[in-house]
Amino acid sequence: KDLNSFAITSRGISKQVVDYFGIKMSVNPDGSGGSHFYPYTNKSGGMLSAWKERKLPKSFVTHGNFSNIELFGQAASGGRTLVITEGELDACAVAQSFLDKYNKIFPVVSMPSASNYKIILEQRDWIRRFESVILFFDRDDAGAKATQKVAKIIGAGKVKVAKLLEKDPCEQLLKHGSASLL
C-alpha cells in the first residue's frame, strides 16, 4: 500500500509537522483520506517498532510490537523542556504552535493512550533528563486522572500543567490559534 504525507488541514497541522513526526497517510480510492499511521520507535535504539493506525474519523488499530516502545515523537526530541500530550494529533498541535511562533519544533511527545501509564514509568529516566515537563492533557476526567498519575510518576518538582481553554490541544489550536497553546 502506498503511503504519503499531507497536511492535516482539518486540525490546522502543516505537512512540515506531519513529516517531523514521520506520520504517513493512506488515501481511499475516491481520493478521500483513509488512515493516519503514527510511528512508534523501540527503546533499544530508536528503530521503528510499531504503527498506530487511526482509521478516520476515529477508530484505532495497532501494528507491530507495542511491548517495547518509546513515547510517540521521542526519537526526534532533545532540549530543556518537554511537553507530553495524550494523543498523537495533540502532540502535532503543540508542535505546530512551536513552529508558528519560533520557526522551530521543541520536544513534544505523546502517550499512546490516556491510560497507558506504564510507558511513562518505563521512560521516566529519559523524561527526568529535562529541566521541566509540561503536561498538556485533555480537559476531561481521563485527562485529570492522567495528570495526577503522570505527575506522581515523574515527580512533582519537574511537572507543570497546561491549562486548556478547550477540550484538547487540537481543538484549542483550531479555535484560538497557535499563540493560545504557548
Side-chain angles (χ1 to χ4, degrees):
K1 180 186 270 198
D2 287 334
L3 299 177
N4 297 294
S5 63
F6 307 98
I8 305 173
T9 54
S10 63
R11 298 292 183 117
I13 298 167
S14 68
K15 184 177 184 310
Q16 186 175 351
V17 169
V18 167
D19 290 343
Y20 173 84
F21 285 105
I23 299 168
K24 299 295 181 189
M25 288 96 159
S26 66
V27 178
N28 292 324
D30 67 2
S32 64
S35 293
H36 295 172
F37 295 88
Y38 308 114
Y40 278 84
T41 52
N42 66 34
K43 290 183 280 193
S44 52
M47 300 298 292
L48 182 63
S49 173
W51 293 89
K52 180 177 172 184
E53 178 182 0
R54 178 187 184 125
K55 294 182 178 189
L56 300 177
K58 194 173 182 179
S59 66
F60 297 97
V61 178
T62 58
H63 306 276
N65 181 4
F66 268 81
S67 65
N68 189 33
I69 59 168
E70 296 178 324
L71 294 157
F72 172 76
Q74 185 172 332
S77 295
R80 293 190 344 223
T81 300
L82 174 67
V83 175
I84 302 175
T85 68
E86 278 185 63
E88 296 87 0
L89 289 178
D90 290 334
C92 290
V94 173
Q96 186 66 54
S97 294
F98 284 141
L99 186 61
D100 291 347
K101 183 168 183 174
Y102 302 109
N103 204 29
K104 179 180 178 181
I105 298 173
F106 292 95
V108 58
V109 296
S110 173
M111 298 167 43
S113 72
S115 60
N116 187 345
Y117 310 114
K118 179 181 173 211
I119 192 168
I120 297 294
L121 189 58
E122 291 171 349
Q123 296 300 319
R124 181 173 48 190
D125 290 342
W126 178 82
I127 293 167
R128 286 182 173 169
R129 292 183 198 155
F130 293 87
E131 290 175 22
S132 64
V133 178
I134 302 169
L135 303 181
F136 235 117
F137 294 163
D138 292 1
R139 203 175 86 183
D140 59 15
D141 289 342
K145 183 178 179 184
T147 297
Q148 295 298 318
K149 289 196 178 247
V150 171
K152 188 174 180 181
I153 292 168
I154 296 169
K158 283 195 176 275
V159 173
K160 296 176 180 153
V161 178
K163 300 290 186 213
L164 287 167
L165 302 171
E166 301 297 336
K167 179 195 171 291
D168 61 33
C170 279
E171 192 173 306
Q172 186 158 321
L173 175 65
L174 285 173
K175 289 185 177 179
H176 304 283
S178 292
S180 72
L181 288 170
L182 303 177

